[in-house]
Amino acid sequence: MIALVGVLAAPLIGAIVLAILPGYRASARINIAVSAVAFICALLLLIQRPDPGRYLLVDDLNVVFILLGSFVGLTTSVFSASYIGHELATGRLTQPYLRFYHAMFQLMAFGMNLALTANNIGLMWVALELATLTTVMMVGIYRTHEAIEAAWKYFILGSVGIALALFGTILVYLAARPAIGGGIDSMVWTVLVAHAHGFDPALLDIAFVFLLLGYGTKVGLAPMHAWLPDAHAEGPTPISAVLSGLLLNVALYALLRFKILMAATPGAIAPGPLMIALGLISLIFAGFMLYRRRDIKRMFAYSSIEHMGLIVFAFGMAGPLGNFAGLLQMAMHSLTKSAIFFSVGHIAQVKGTQRIADMGGLTETHPLLGWGLVAGVAAIVGLPPFGVFTSEFLIVSTTFARQPVLAVLVVLGLLVSLGALLLRVISIAFGEPRGGDGPVRASSFPIVAHLALVLIAGVWLPPPLVGWFQHVAALLG
Amino acid sequence: MGLAFDIAHMLAGLMVLAGLMMLYQDRLYPLLHVLALQAFLLALSVAWQAHLQDAPHLYITAVIALGFKAIFIPWALRKMVFRLGIHREIEPVVGTGLTMLAGMGLVALSLEVMLPVTAHADPVSRQDIALALSIVLIGLLLMVTRRNAVSQVVGFLAIDNGISLAATGAQGMPLVVEISVAFSILVAFIVIGIFLFRIRERFDTVDVEALDRFRGERR
Amino acid sequence: MIGPFLVQAGQMALVLLAAPLLTGLVRKVKARVQRRRGASVLQPYRDLRRLLSKEIVLAHNASWLFRTAPYLIFALTWVAAALIPTFATGLIFSWTGDLIAIIALLGAARFLLALAGMDIGTSFGGIGASREVMIASLAEPAMLMIILSLALIAGSTQLSTIAAFMLSPEAGLRVSLALSLLAFVVVALAENARIPVDNPATHLELTMVHEAMVLEYSGRHLAMIELAASLKLLVMISTMACIFFPFGLVTGDAGAGRYLIGIGAYLLKLAIAGTVLGCFEMSIAKMRVFRVPNLLGGALMLGLLATLLLFVSVGL
């Protein structure tokens, strides 16, 4: 119980403290410390889970994501410490905004942890709204024209998505009312799952459509993805890492909670075809869009859209393998993409630009960053022995067994994106050195830690993790 | 059907009418007035629901709707519009007739979708949810057909009104007050955001087409 | 046996006599609002008598249509007026008093007037006719929408049935009725060529709609047309009174005293409507012709919304 409270309270208190404290060094250190506390609490949650309460819950589905979330938060805060120092030095970020940045960072961590641990679907919605608000504030923090456009687009699209998701939540409550009746318990997720067989299936169908569209906007599914590339490209890189690595996952996690409800209600239409369609569209669309991108962060943002499309496709295919693969892919993508954004952030700083055409020969000038980027991209396109290969292989094989045509489309999308990413990364990492040559004060810990984890997961998955994922895969139907 | 239903029906129907009235406004001040009217009708509807369901906490939601959404937000937007200097602009509204027809189509669609699906609920709940969905869809239509950032935000506020109607119409929903407060905070941030992001200051116009120049898609 | 016939004949006479009085009242109210004394309310009677005694001046190329149209228009409008329950429902001809039939009669009258306006071949007649038909093409659908929503509420398009339904407590508080009333008012303003759609007192030909079509008429032809226009205003107001404010209507058998009260109530409703119309016309300006479709489109939307909302409340 203490651990659960700690996971939530640490970021919240940290946000308040960081909002008051001036001074960059102290804020960065406190940021790391608070994230470390949250991570330790998440580790404790692995060992012993509290009983589900009326508002908070830790079960097989969210324990991994809580741990993952706090880990990525920790490594991002380490990355952010050195990254922001450079931004301060170049004047891109000014002192007053620094407190704002750190406070919003921890507030966002609080929001995400709350969304992950919420047992009440209304509370989950509020927490996601809080996470949206904080990230919007941070995307616009550079106050350039492009940043403001990106933040405004993200704000409007994200808010419309949140509004639709709220409407879906209300409809879920309505669908559950005949089985549960009114009262505070009628929005508690564990109670909902227990009574799901009595729900009104037609109403639940419509509710899920709204939830898919609403939360799907926050996941970045095409055609609701329009905010994603801009938000990633124009915000500070730690925010891009957190957006790709965590926030997309949390929004998808919210969708999964409702998918479990759908699976438990007999008579509800299978949400599969809709999710498959949206996932495939995102996958193939993003794959082709990767070729024309000239900004490095924008390119990896489209890669995030593509992977989220793949994950939603996997959950749409359903079945034990499909769901398991989707969950695994969520975790692997989160680690890999944030590692890539860490290296991209430092690369952009040393080269002084985000344009791909202006970068080159990275492995000669900055070997650690260059090879880190190469390894990261190798991981994200699905090359073995990295963990992403495992999950993608599972997805393709289960799809091939059931719907060969769709498998062909999936492989097509994956190959298209593989081509684009490898092409670009080769031009950045190898060849004649181009672009700036500044020194980098980067900590190598975040990138190395993430990629090491992904590499290990590609070879060996810890049995408890496999057990949890299999259990959730069964629940997802 | 009873007086209870009739009054709820009248208030929800007038909210839909207010939403449709927003679609053909081409000046900003009248648009804000219609928004205030819709929020006022929402407050009355929520208060009536509080009376019908015997749920005193809904009176708080009604007061929030009245004070915040019907009075404060339109006033704040009015001040903002004046300071941005766009209060005299006439916005090119794309095809009023077509937009109105689309709005009516959306009302018919939401009635057609929601009424059969909620067959087991009681009549007041059913018609509140159905008309709330139509208000949400009209708000979306308003956002899509406008180029001015303030009008788009007004469309979002209409969506907010519709969702509040749905939340209070769904009888016995817990956390209604908390959720409506949270949503109101989001709304407040958006309204502040127009000013905070200082779109006008940066671009000399609140016309979001001007933002398109800075769309990074070409990069 | 004679009684019902007398009552029906009485109604026909009543509407014929009351129509110029109504027009006179509206003009008087407008004048008073403008701080003029205005002509007497009996002035339209004098105008009609004057016109009836004047010589007809016909253009060389006027056809038989031009000569017969005024009588036909007057006849159609008078029949429509006779069918509306003004002070009593259940009159002899009431079974024909169907809303759609009444609209058809008025529509036929308008058709003839438009044709007559084009008959001589002057440009102003053409302008008036084309504008009139444009307004009609939008007002008629709006009217039909209103009739549809009323029929859905009351279960019939018979005016007597609708009036009886509205008097009963089943009618209740309905937002669809309010929307229908609003739409009806807009359509009535358009049909009767009142501000904001058309100015009946204008002398500028380019701003005319109704007046432009009757520019060439003189003598008793003009008297017929003027009387028909007054009757049309009476028809619209009576319909509105019968449907939305049916207080004082005599339903079923009643004694002479009750009939007198009914007539009194009807005249009172006419007076109130005339006053409100006069004040309303003076309070807003005439719209540009190009904006009239917006107004009528709005009325159509109101009617459509009323119908949709009815499906909600009736279908639940």
Side-chain angles (χ1 to χ4, degrees):
Chain A
M1 198 57 204
I2 302 276
L4 185 56
V5 171
V7 154
L8 291 174
L12 190 58
I13 298 176
I16 298 173
V17 166
L18 286 168
I20 309 172
L21 210 66
Y24 159 63
R25 292 208 180 282
S27 312
R29 294 212 176 101
I30 292 183
N31 202 16
I32 299 178
V34 169
S35 306
V37 167
F39 177 59
I40 294 173
C41 292
L43 275 175
L44 288 177
L45 274 179
L46 266 185
I47 304 172
Q48 197 215 16
R49 298 179 198 170
D51 292 324
R54 183 173 275 166
Y55 291 106
L56 298 176
L57 160 77
V58 179
D59 67 355
D60 287 344
L61 177 55
N62 64 4
V63 69
V64 178
F65 293 116
I66 297 173
L67 183 64
L68 195 64
S70 25
F71 178 67
V72 173
L74 175 62
T75 47
T76 308
S77 57
V78 172
F79 164 72
S80 153
S82 53
Y83 180 85
I84 295 293
H86 188 268
E87 295 293 289
L88 265 182
T90 53
R92 231 174 141 198
L93 197 63
T94 51
Q95 270 288 2
Y97 287 112
L98 204 61
R99 283 187 300 173
F100 181 71
Y101 166 82
H102 282 129
M104 285 290 129
F105 190 92
Q106 287 303 332
L107 202 57
M108 175 192 62
F110 167 69
M112 286 198 282
N113 283 343
L114 187 60
L116 284 172
T117 53
N119 196 8
N120 184 311
I121 50 179
L123 185 61
M124 185 165 67
W125 178 86
V126 171
L128 263 173
E129 179 210 321
L130 177 64
T132 310
L133 263 179
T134 48
T135 40
V136 164
M137 295 291 148
M138 287 200 278
V139 163
I141 208 169
Y142 283 148
R143 325 250 335 137
T144 60
H145 290 195
E146 293 84 354
I148 288 185
E149 192 257 347
W152 183 247
K153 195 192 280 190
Y154 180 21
F155 208 174
I156 292 289
L157 282 175
S159 302
V160 171
I162 285 280
L164 289 177
L166 181 58
F167 195 77
T169 310
I170 296 173
L171 287 181
V172 166
Y173 162 76
L174 266 183
R177 215 159 60 110
I180 302 181
I184 189 71
D185 279 344
S186 49
M187 283 176 81
V188 175
W189 190 81
T190 38
V191 174
L192 287 172
V193 166
H195 290 92
H197 49 263
F199 286 1
D200 179 4
L203 197 50
L204 196 62
D205 293 337
I206 296 190
F208 188 75
V209 169
F210 275 102
L211 287 166
L212 184 58
L213 287 176
Y215 284 133
T217 310
K218 301 220 45 72
V219 171
L221 292 174
M224 295 94 65
H225 69 285
W227 59 272
L228 213 151
D230 288 338
H232 278 74
E234 305 304 336
T237 312
I239 301 309
S240 313
V242 167
L243 269 177
S244 261
L246 292 184
L247 200 56
L248 300 185
N249 268 0
V250 173
L252 189 53
Y253 159 85
L255 258 181
L256 287 180
R257 285 279 180 209
F258 289 106
K259 186 162 187 293
I260 295 182
L261 280 183
M262 290 282 285
T265 308
I269 56 162
L274 197 55
M275 292 175 78
I276 289 177
L278 281 177
L280 262 184
I281 292 175
S282 310
L283 176 65
I284 297 183
F285 167 74
F288 280 104
M289 290 296 267
L290 279 172
Y291 280 97
R292 293 285 303 270
R293 298 304 120 206
R294 286 175 222 130
D295 178 309
I296 190 171
K297 279 165 66 170
R298 197 171 290 272
M299 185 175 75
F300 285 115
Y302 274 100
S303 169
S304 289
I305 299 178
E306 181 220 339
H307 277 272
M308 279 297 143
L310 182 64
I311 296 171
V312 169
F313 172 85
F315 286 123
M317 285 305 293
L321 266 184
N323 290 329
F324 180 85
L327 290 166
L328 186 62
Q329 175 85 347
M330 274 170 86
M332 293 297 112
H333 171 257
S334 164
L335 286 170
T336 320
K337 192 49 71 68
S338 38
I340 290 182
F341 272 111
F342 294 157
S343 49
V344 163
H346 283 306
I347 292 172
Q349 277 182 336
V350 301
K351 293 291 178 187
T353 172
Q354 283 178 211
R355 282 177 58 101
I356 297 178
D358 294 341
M359 306 178 193
L362 199 58
T363 45
E364 285 184 33
T365 55
H366 302 88
L368 178 65
L369 281 180
W371 287 109
L373 180 67
V374 171
V377 171
I380 201 74
V381 298
L383 292 176
F386 290 102
V388 180
F389 171 74
T390 319
S391 46
E392 284 184 1
F393 180 77
L394 281 174
I395 296 175
V396 171
S397 57
T398 182
T399 314
F400 199 76
R402 292 193 270 157
Q403 304 270 6
V405 177
L406 292 179
V408 169
L409 287 172
V410 168
V411 171
L412 174 72
L414 290 175
L415 284 177
V416 166
S417 61
L418 183 145
L421 284 172
L422 280 184
L423 210 62
R424 298 281 173 250
V425 90
I426 287 174
S427 86
I428 295 174
F430 304 112
E432 281 301 310
R434 278 189 306 254
D437 212 358
V440 53
R441 290 166 12 195
S443 161
S444 53
F445 166 67
I447 306 174
V448 170
H450 280 212
L451 288 176
L453 276 177
V454 175
L455 186 59
I456 294 173
V459 178
W460 172 80
L461 280 174
L465 182 76
V466 174
W468 292 327
F469 277 176
Q470 277 176 339
H471 178 220
V472 177
L475 278 180
L476 279 169
Chain B
M1 209 53 83
L3 191 64
F5 177 81
D6 279 344
I7 293 186
H9 178 68
M10 179 179 77
L11 291 171
L14 287 176
M15 276 182 76
V16 174
L17 180 64
L20 288 169
M21 277 168 68
M22 279 196 234
L23 284 176
Y24 68 75
Q25 301 289 350
D26 55 359
R27 289 165 208 262
L28 279 171
Y29 280 165
L31 185 63
L32 295 178
H33 293 158
V34 177
L35 176 72
L37 173 68
Q38 197 186 48
F40 176 67
L41 288 167
L42 172 72
L44 286 179
S45 176
V46 173
W48 183 243
Q49 283 286 343
H51 170 72
L52 278 185
Q53 297 174 25
D54 205 15
H57 61 275
L58 284 182
Y59 284 117
I60 305 177
T61 312
V63 168
I64 293 176
L66 182 65
F68 188 67
K69 294 182 199 171
I71 299 178
F72 179 70
I73 291 280
W75 173 83
L77 277 174
R78 200 186 157 100
K79 279 255 177 286
M80 217 167 282
V81 161
F82 185 71
R83 280 182 68 174
L84 287 174
I86 49 176
H87 51 285
R88 292 209 183 85
E89 277 178 22
I90 298 185
E91 193 175 345
V93 175
V94 174
T96 328
L98 223 54
T99 319
M100 293 291 286
L101 273 177
M104 298 303 306
L106 287 175
V107 174
L109 174 73
S110 54
L111 289 177
E112 184 58 36
V113 165
M114 290 309 296
L115 279 181
V117 165
T118 52
H120 62 267
D122 72 295
V124 177
S125 229
R126 287 176 75 189
Q127 63 108 21
D128 263 358
I129 298 283
L131 292 175
L133 178 59
S134 53
I135 296 172
V136 168
L137 289 177
I138 290 176
L140 276 174
L141 182 64
L142 187 62
M143 284 182 87
V144 162
T145 53
R146 295 294 176 129
R147 287 168 43 181
N148 186 309
V150 176
S151 307
Q152 290 176 351
V153 168
V154 168
F156 182 74
L157 295 172
I159 295 179
D160 175 24
N161 288 344
I163 292 184
S164 302
L165 181 65
T168 52
Q171 294 179 347
M173 179 160 152
L175 294 183
V176 171
V177 181
E178 291 83 354
I179 289 182
S180 58
V181 167
F183 210 10
S184 303
I185 293 179
L186 180 69
V187 159
F189 268 96
I190 288 191
V191 169
I192 296 173
I194 304 175
F195 214 59
L196 202 68
F197 294 129
R198 292 216 175 100
I199 295 181
R200 165 113 181 170
E201 174 187 295
R202 294 231 167 248
F203 298 103
D204 282 332
T205 169
V206 195
D207 189 341
V208 293
E209 297 261 314
L211 286 176
D212 278 352
R213 265 185 295 139
F214 295 102
R215 270 178 66 194
E217 286 304 316
R218 302 191 192 110
R219 295 197 279 134
Chain C
M1 254 330 273
I2 301 292
F5 274 111
L6 271 182
V7 175
Q8 178 69 67
Q11 155 147 355
M12 294 179 72
L14 177 65
V15 296
L16 196 57
L17 288 174
L21 188 60
L22 179 64
T23 309
L25 175 66
V26 174
R27 287 189 194 151
K28 183 81 171 173
V29 168
K30 282 165 77 167
R32 281 288 172 172
V33 170
Q34 287 175 337
R35 295 179 54 134
R36 292 187 287 120
R37 292 187 68 116
S40 147
V41 290
L42 300 178
Q43 185 61 30
Y45 293 110
R46 299 191 191 116
D47 287 336
L48 283 172
R49 194 178 64 190
R50 174 175 52 88
L51 282 172
L52 281 171
S53 61
K54 284 204 165 200
E55 178 193 354
I56 294 179
V57 178
L58 278 180
H60 286 299
N61 52 351
S63 70
W64 61 270
L65 184 70
F66 191 80
R67 289 194 301 271
T68 54
Y71 303 108
L72 285 173
I73 293 169
F74 170 68
L76 286 166
T77 318
W78 194 19
V79 168
L83 293 179
I84 299 178
T86 50
F87 56 88
T89 64
L91 298 177
I92 298 247
F93 297 136
S94 288
W95 57 271
T96 57
D98 193 288
L99 262 177
I100 299 184
I102 291 173
I103 300 302
L105 285 169
L106 293 176
R110 184 194 359 250
F111 174 63
L112 285 170
L113 191 59
L115 281 183
M118 291 194 292
D119 190 73
I120 302 287
T122 60
S123 49
F124 290 128
I127 289 178
S130 73
R131 285 176 180 176
E132 174 76 17
V133 172
M134 173 193 78
I135 292 173
S137 68
L138 291 162
E140 298 273 337
M143 192 68 199
L144 285 174
M145 270 294 140
I146 297 168
I147 294 175
L148 178 63
S149 57
L150 285 173
L152 275 175
I153 296 179
S156 161
T157 50
Q158 283 265 4
L159 271 174
S160 308
T161 320
I162 296 179
F165 180 85
M166 291 297 169
L167 277 174
S168 72
E170 286 168 31
L173 190 70
R174 288 182 187 274
V175 67
S176 301
L177 272 181
L179 293 178
S180 300
L181 176 59
L182 205 53
F184 190 90
V185 166
V186 173
V187 168
L189 286 173
E191 294 259 345
N192 289 300
R194 295 272 145 192
I195 291 176
V197 176
D198 176 25
N199 189 349
T202 183
H203 52 274
L204 301 168
E205 290 87 350
L206 283 176
T207 63
M208 290 178 182
V209 178
H210 180 265
E211 301 297 319
M213 291 186 285
V214 303
L215 269 177
E216 299 289 327
Y217 276 114
S218 54
R220 59 176 182 274
H221 289 168
L222 189 56
M224 293 283 104
I225 291 187
E226 297 267 318
L227 192 52
S230 305
L231 269 173
K232 191 167 177 183
L233 181 62
L234 187 100
V235 164
M236 284 288 164
I237 293 181
S238 309
T239 314
M240 191 162 65
C242 158
I243 297 174
F244 296 104
F245 309 102
F247 320 113
L249 269 183
V250 178
T251 50
D253 285 323
R258 185 71 181 81
Y259 274 113
L260 280 178
I261 296 180
I263 294 177
Y266 173 64
L267 289 174
L268 183 63
K269 290 179 208 171
L270 281 185
I272 295 176
T275 315
V276 169
L277 178 61
C279 296
F280 176 71
E281 282 203 281
M282 282 296 110
S283 65
I284 66 173
K286 187 176 104 72
M287 290 173 105
R288 288 188 63 185
V289 176
F290 300 121
R291 292 193 59 197
V292 169
N294 284 357
L295 180 69
L296 289 171
L300 177 62
M301 292 298 158
L302 279 175
L304 200 51
L305 186 62
T307 315
L308 276 176
L309 286 178
L310 264 180
F311 276 116
V312 174
S313 63
V314 165
L316 283 182

